[in-house]
Amino acid sequence: MTTPVKNIDIANIFDRLADLLELEGENPFRVRAYRNAAATVENLPQNLEEMVKKGDDLTSLPAIGNDLAQKINDIVNHKEIDLLKRLEEKNPIDFEELNRIQGLGPRRIKKLYEILNVQNIDDLYHAAEEQKIRNLPGFSKKIEEHILEEIKKIKEKYNRMKISTAEQNALPIVEYLRENRSIQDIEIAGSYRRRKETIGDLDILVTCEDSISVMTHFVNYFDIDEVLSKGDTRSSIILKSGIQVDLRVLPQKSYGAAMLYFTGSKAHNIVIRKLAKQKDWKVNEYGLFSNDDFLAGETEKGIYNKLGLPYIEPELRENRGEFEAAESGNLPELIKLSDIKGDLHTHTNLTDGKNTLEEMAEAAQKLGYKYIANTDHSKRVTVAGGLDEIQVFENIKRTDKLNENFKDFTILKGIEVDILEDGSLDLSDKVLKELDIVVGAIHYKFNLSREEQTERILRAMDNPYLNILAHPTGRLINEREPYDIDLEKIMQKAKENNCILEINSQPSRLDLNDLNSRKAKEMGVKLVISTDAHSTTQYDFMRFGIGQARRGWIEKHNVINTRNINQLKKIIKRN
Ligand code: DGT
Ligand code: CA
Ligand code: CA
């Protein structure tokens, strides 16, 4: 049997191709095409290997044309990618890793390789430690020291996987474990259950009849790089993707106690332990005990209740005020995926999306949605050719026609309009005023000063047609820091002007993040949870946005796309 190929494997190959082409000084559009393809593939809900085996048309996926479809075919069939082989022979450099070091562009990386044979971060670290870099042409002592610092930072930070990637590793292994018939309950605890945006490792808990057979089954999973330990009740492995998975087997009686303990967070657990101690009790992963008497442990709720608390949702367990709220009966009633009635940030193939508006509307109805907003890009976005004013008017007419066919569904006519450098919008008010909903976003000039960037956004929000500020901080998880803005000022303005702030559900954005969402809620700012879907399949990203919102204590009433279409239209009206 050949090893299955996962989407992430394909994404990694495309990323590597992009790196190597960039190193070669290849045309930026070609480099970008591979990067876009990598991002698409990484986050695809369907399994590409299965699609290839079924003979599905891969070019129907976003960012995948004929050439890339062929490459995916080859990868799935374990064929050599000629281009990759050629490039790798020329450059055995782990460019992706090295490129994370700020200040090391392709040119310097190439020089380090040619002179010192630096191929990866470890080589670089040794070279810097041995002070071999400072005297190279174009480098200095300062750069060398900076490199050492950066490596340390990166080792801490980038060891964490995006939750979407963790999920792609976690779900197949859970499915595999279930093949063992003696397993009863199985759940992933840890930061994954708390829906953190990045995950350090996966903590799986099971109850079963035959723990030895479960453990043997576990360490025989196909995707393992290394078995770290194997015992009767606990084992640890590292998957080929680099993520560690810990498996623990528990007696049924202790399942809740173990869930509570291994869901964490550590900070939450410490308070739980303190509360138990105050009653002279003891709590651990086996239960809540008074001396040796078992008080609770089969369910988490049992333990919370015994401690005088209501059940606390996993996303709240960060010791950020959840105990005070629980004690005073003020826990939020967290928003659920099923509360969502529509998606207010979506793209079609009119700009850089993959599907037609008709397809996007149909897929939304299948999800039970009552509306979507079609928010294709305005003209400024040069990548895919955004819409000019004439095209927006044409799209409005076309959408009006389409809407006549629906009974209980509406396509809101919208745009994702660029916020220009001076804070003006990329389309005139004459056009914006004809739309149902205007989503404003920053896509360039990320490096303005704090003052300028804040002013830029405030000014955009003064345009009376702007309804929603998309991905408000612009950060990309593990890739780009947020731009420098005074978010509090922006939230204040959003409240005054009835602008809505977005929680963007793309797993690499999750922007606003949990803490900022909570701040918005506290300031009385309205939120929208959108997917920014560039294809019908990306509607599924909503679950990541919901996770982030729940971590931000967000309730149904804080979020405008939980309302029906008439309420929604009223709510987004400005003054
Ligand atoms: P991660 O994996 O870094 O994304 O974060 P977690 O929260 O999954 O942390 P992890 O995997 O180290 O441990 C899982 C849970 O086990 C953690 O959330 C709380 C619990 N835990 C681990 N170590 C300790 C500890 O030293 N004290 C207490 N009270 N709980 C711990
Ligand atoms: Ca973990
Ligand atoms: Ca762990």
Side-chain angles (χ1 to χ4, degrees):
M1 195 187 87
T2 49
T3 333
V5 177
K6 288 191 305 238
N7 290 356
I8 187 74
D9 304 326
I10 298 169
N12 286 340
I13 290 177
F14 285 166
D15 258 331
R16 181 140 179 81
L17 276 168
D19 292 339
L20 290 165
L21 287 170
E22 194 169 0
L23 207 60
E24 290 283 293
E26 176 61 68
N27 171 354
F29 287 103
R30 187 151 179 236
V31 174
R32 192 172 176 125
Y34 279 106
R35 289 219 199 285
N36 288 342
T40 302
V41 164
E42 183 185 341
N43 291 314
L44 213 57
Q46 312 96 315
N47 180 304
L48 277 170
E49 180 170 36
E50 277 168 23
M51 285 185 75
V52 168
K53 301 233 151 114
K54 275 195 295 191
D56 289 349
D57 177 17
L58 299 178
T59 61
S60 66
L61 300 169
I64 306 296
N66 285 329
D67 174 57
L68 290 167
Q70 184 55 49
K71 287 209 170 57
I72 293 174
N73 252 294
D74 289 348
I75 297 168
V76 166
N77 292 314
H78 300 275
K79 279 198 208 138
E80 209 161 69
I81 308 293
D82 289 337
L83 176 64
L84 183 62
K85 193 172 161 222
R86 240 183 310 127
L87 291 169
E88 277 184 335
E89 274 168 8
K90 256 166 98 182
N91 290 300
I93 303 178
D94 192 339
F95 184 78
E96 186 188 344
E97 208 178 71
L98 291 171
N99 203 30
R100 283 180 181 158
I101 312 250
Q102 285 215 335
L104 271 197
R107 233 176 303 139
R108 278 189 173 149
I109 291 176
K110 204 164 180 182
K111 205 179 263 175
L112 286 165
Y113 168 65
E114 282 165 0
I115 306 178
L116 298 175
N117 194 27
V118 167
Q119 298 186 13
N120 51 44
I121 285 216
D122 284 339
D123 295 345
L124 183 67
Y125 188 77
H126 292 308
E129 262 205 333
E130 291 163 19
Q131 307 192 344
K132 285 181 179 162
I133 294 175
R134 56 182 65 191
N135 296 324
L136 298 182
F139 290 82
S140 66
K141 180 161 178 258
K142 211 168 147 207
I143 293 179
E144 187 180 82
E145 286 166 354
H146 171 77
I147 287 174
L148 274 177
E149 262 170 48
E150 282 286 303
I151 294 177
K152 284 186 195 138
K153 264 199 267 171
I154 280 169
K155 290 221 154 145
E156 279 164 26
K157 187 166 157 196
Y158 289 101
N159 263 335
R160 305 184 59 82
M161 249 180 210
K162 277 182 279 194
I163 185 157
S164 51
T165 315
E167 203 181 80
Q168 279 166 15
N169 284 283
L171 299 181
I173 194 166
V174 167
E175 196 179 319
Y176 166 82
L177 284 171
R178 276 190 213 281
E179 288 170 13
N180 183 296
R181 303 296 293 276
S182 91
I183 288 186
Q184 286 146 353
D185 295 315
I186 178 162
E187 198 136 8
I188 308 165
S191 51
Y192 181 89
R193 184 161 175 245
R194 305 198 311 279
R195 303 313 279 167
K196 265 188 85 157
E197 64 194 33
T198 61
I199 307 294
D201 70 1
L202 292 168
D203 310 278
I204 305 181
L205 305 182
V206 302
T207 58
C208 65
E209 269 151 21
D210 179 0
S211 77
I212 292 172
S213 92
V214 170
M215 288 306 176
T216 307
H217 185 57
F218 179 57
V219 299
N220 279 312
Y221 186 51
F222 78 90
D223 204 20
I224 293 179
D225 186 43
E226 195 186 343
V227 176
L228 296 176
S229 65
K230 177 176 180 263
D232 292 352
T233 60
R234 102 167 253 195
S235 301
S236 291
I237 59 173
I238 295 184
L239 296 182
K240 292 209 181 88
S241 60
I243 197 166
Q244 182 175 328
V245 185
D246 300 335
L247 178 69
R248 286 186 184 77
V249 172
L250 282 309
Q252 195 72 51
K253 204 172 120 160
S254 300
Y255 192 57
M259 284 289 281
L260 184 59
Y261 183 87
F262 291 111
T263 296
S265 65
K266 201 166 156 178
H268 182 88
N269 287 356
I270 289 171
V271 179
I272 292 276
R273 224 171 22 222
K274 209 177 71 194
L275 292 175
K277 222 169 171 178
Q278 282 168 4
K279 300 188 190 273
D280 256 339
W281 295 339
K282 198 181 75 190
V283 66
N284 58 27
E285 63 264 50
Y286 297 102
L288 179 65
F289 301 90
S290 165
N291 296 319
D292 284 338
D293 290 344
F294 178 87
L295 300 175
E298 189 153 2
T299 66
E300 291 182 313
K301 186 165 182 290
I303 299 179
Y304 280 117
N305 289 171
K306 200 89 201 155
L307 291 170
L309 298 170
Y311 176 75
I312 299 177
E313 299 279 1
E315 293 92 338
L316 298 178
R317 300 183 195 169
E318 300 288 348
N319 194 22
R320 290 177 181 158
E322 69 272 23
F323 289 102
E324 292 81 350
E327 271 160 20
S328 58
N330 287 317
L331 280 174
E333 195 171 316
L334 298 180
I335 186 167
K336 299 187 299 292
L337 189 56
S338 57
D339 292 330
I340 296 294
K341 293 208 164 65
D343 200 327
L344 296 180
H345 186 165
T346 73
H347 296 271
T348 75
N349 62 359
L350 210 54
T351 60
D352 60 349
K354 193 69 190 187
N355 294 100
T356 62
L357 184 54
E358 287 84 346
E359 288 163 347
M360 291 301 283
E362 191 190 327
Q365 291 173 79
K366 282 207 182 117
L367 290 173
Y369 285 172
K370 300 298 181 193
Y371 49 82
I372 57 169
N374 167 217
T375 56
D376 271 310
H377 288 286
S378 67
K379 61 193 178 199
R380 164 68 52 169
V381 176
T382 43
V383 216
L387 307 182
D388 63 23
E389 314 214 326
I390 294 172
Q391 289 169 310
V392 174
F393 279 124
E394 282 169 0
N395 201 28
I396 288 175
K397 272 198 227 138
R398 194 168 74 100
T399 309
D400 282 336
K401 269 229 179 79
L402 260 179
N403 269 332
E404 287 171 13
N405 303 323
F406 302 130
K407 262 218 311 274
D408 188 19
F409 184 80
T410 311
I411 302 173
L412 294 167
K413 292 160 286 185
I415 192 86
E416 180 176 8
V417 67
D418 261 285
I419 298 175
L420 305 184
E421 189 180 354
D422 64 358
S424 61
L425 301 182
D426 190 25
L427 293 168
S428 74
D429 288 359
K430 190 181 85 203
V431 191
L432 297 180
K433 124 173 172 275
E434 298 302 321
L435 293 165
D436 299 315
I437 196 157
V438 173
V439 176
I442 284 181
H443 289 118
Y444 70 112
K445 289 273 179 191
F446 299 124
N447 289 332
L448 300 185
S449 72
R450 182 180 179 86
E451 210 184 353
E452 286 168 328
Q453 198 72 282
T454 306
E455 272 309 308
R456 177 187 189 182
I457 296 175
L458 294 179
R459 191 164 164 226
M461 290 199 293
D462 270 335
N463 182 306
Y465 300 108
L466 187 108
N467 302 111
I468 293 174
L469 180 63
H471 36 79
T473 79
R475 65 101 174 240
L476 291 176
I477 294 172
N478 285 358
E479 273 174 58
R480 187 171 76 208
E481 295 297 316
Y483 29 75
D484 196 5
I485 44 172
D486 185 338
L487 201 53
E488 192 158 336
K489 251 192 192 162
I490 288 167
M491 287 183 181
Q492 192 55 45
K493 179 76 134 198
K495 186 176 153 72
E496 283 162 19
N497 287 11
N498 196 32
C499 286
I500 289 121
L501 298 187
E502 181 182 83
I503 298 176
N504 187 294
S505 306
Q506 295 271 328
S508 54
R509 288 196 183 271
L510 297 175
D511 178 12
L512 298 175
N513 68 10
D514 48 2
L515 289 174
N516 289 331
S517 302
R518 186 164 169 194
K519 179 152 187 73
K521 171 186 171 178
E522 279 161 9
M523 288 181 67
V525 176
K526 295 188 193 99
L527 296 166
V528 58
I529 307 178
S530 305
T531 64
D532 200 350
H534 282 67
S535 66
T536 52
T537 54
Q538 290 191 350
Y539 282 137
D540 289 347
F541 288 164
M542 192 62 84
R543 67 183 182 283
F544 300 120
I546 292 283
Q548 195 72 194
R550 288 168 62 90
R551 290 179 57 80
W553 293 47
I554 301 303
E555 303 181 83
K556 184 177 174 182
H557 67 89
N558 301 128
V559 176
I560 65 165
N561 53 325
T562 59
R563 312 295 173 99
N564 70 38
I565 185 76
N566 293 328
Q567 293 167 329
L568 176 76
K569 281 184 173 166
K570 245 183 255 161
I571 278 182
I572 63 176
K573 267 226 169 77
R574 290 191 49 173
N575 46 67

PDB file of all heavy atoms in Angstrom, residues 201-203 244 246 248, ligand 3:
ATOM      1  N   ASP A 201       0.080  20.897  20.661  1.00  0.00           N
ATOM      2  CA  ASP A 201      -0.005  19.464  20.403  1.00  0.00           C
ATOM      3  C   ASP A 201      -1.430  19.006  20.651  1.00  0.00           C
ATOM      4  O   ASP A 201      -2.260  19.751  21.177  1.00  0.00           O
ATOM      5  CB  ASP A 201       1.012  18.677  21.239  1.00  0.00           C
ATOM      6  CG  ASP A 201       0.671  18.657  22.720  1.00  0.00           C
ATOM      7  OD1 ASP A 201      -0.366  19.235  23.116  1.00  0.00           O
ATOM      8  OD2 ASP A 201       1.436  18.060  23.478  1.00  0.00           O
ATOM      9  N   LEU A 202      -1.720  17.781  20.232  1.00  0.00           N
ATOM     10  CA  LEU A 202      -3.074  17.249  20.348  1.00  0.00           C
ATOM     11  C   LEU A 202      -3.145  16.287  21.524  1.00  0.00           C
ATOM     12  O   LEU A 202      -2.250  15.447  21.697  1.00  0.00           O
ATOM     13  CB  LEU A 202      -3.460  16.512  19.065  1.00  0.00           C
ATOM     14  CG  LEU A 202      -3.624  17.401  17.829  1.00  0.00           C
ATOM     15  CD1 LEU A 202      -3.707  16.558  16.563  1.00  0.00           C
ATOM     16  CD2 LEU A 202      -4.864  18.290  17.963  1.00  0.00           C
ATOM     17  N   ASP A 203      -4.192  16.443  22.314  1.00  0.00           N
ATOM     18  CA  ASP A 203      -4.373  15.607  23.502  1.00  0.00           C
ATOM     19  C   ASP A 203      -5.663  14.815  23.341  1.00  0.00           C
ATOM     20  O   ASP A 203      -6.753  15.385  23.462  1.00  0.00           O
ATOM     21  CB  ASP A 203      -4.462  16.496  24.751  1.00  0.00           C
ATOM     22  CG  ASP A 203      -3.317  17.499  24.810  1.00  0.00           C
ATOM     23  OD1 ASP A 203      -2.237  17.111  25.251  1.00  0.00           O
ATOM     24  OD2 ASP A 203      -3.502  18.665  24.382  1.00  0.00           O
ATOM     25  N   GLN A 244       2.754  16.680  17.651  1.00  0.00           N
ATOM     26  CA  GLN A 244       2.750  15.586  18.625  1.00  0.00           C
ATOM     27  C   GLN A 244       1.323  15.245  19.015  1.00  0.00           C
ATOM     28  O   GLN A 244       0.480  16.129  19.154  1.00  0.00           O
ATOM     29  CB  GLN A 244       3.551  15.998  19.865  1.00  0.00           C
ATOM     30  CG  GLN A 244       3.626  14.880  20.912  1.00  0.00           C
ATOM     31  CD  GLN A 244       4.522  15.232  22.082  1.00  0.00           C
ATOM     32  OE1 GLN A 244       5.507  15.951  21.925  1.00  0.00           O
ATOM     33  NE2 GLN A 244       4.175  14.725  23.251  1.00  0.00           N
ATOM     34  N   ASP A 246      -0.735  13.066  21.965  1.00  0.00           N
ATOM     35  CA  ASP A 246      -0.724  12.268  23.196  1.00  0.00           C
ATOM     36  C   ASP A 246      -2.062  11.567  23.319  1.00  0.00           C
ATOM     37  O   ASP A 246      -3.103  12.194  23.130  1.00  0.00           O
ATOM     38  CB  ASP A 246      -0.550  13.175  24.430  1.00  0.00           C
ATOM     39  CG  ASP A 246       0.758  13.959  24.392  1.00  0.00           C
ATOM     40  OD1 ASP A 246       1.703  13.496  23.725  1.00  0.00           O
ATOM     41  OD2 ASP A 246       0.819  15.034  25.025  1.00  0.00           O
ATOM     42  N   ARG A 248      -4.459   9.239  25.911  1.00  0.00           N
ATOM     43  CA  ARG A 248      -4.602   8.705  27.261  1.00  0.00           C
ATOM     44  C   ARG A 248      -5.890   7.907  27.370  1.00  0.00           C
ATOM     45  O   ARG A 248      -6.928   8.326  26.861  1.00  0.00           O
ATOM     46  CB  ARG A 248      -4.649   9.847  28.276  1.00  0.00           C
ATOM     47  CG  ARG A 248      -3.305  10.473  28.503  1.00  0.00           C
ATOM     48  CD  ARG A 248      -3.356  11.497  29.598  1.00  0.00           C
ATOM     49  NE  ARG A 248      -2.055  12.146  29.718  1.00  0.00           N
ATOM     50  CZ  ARG A 248      -1.616  13.082  28.889  1.00  0.00           C
ATOM     51  NH1 ARG A 248      -2.362  13.486  27.877  1.00  0.00           N
ATOM     52  NH2 ARG A 248      -0.427  13.634  29.066  1.00  0.00           N
TER      53      ARG A 248
HETATM   54 CA    CA B   3      -0.145  17.665  25.386  1.00  0.00          CA
END
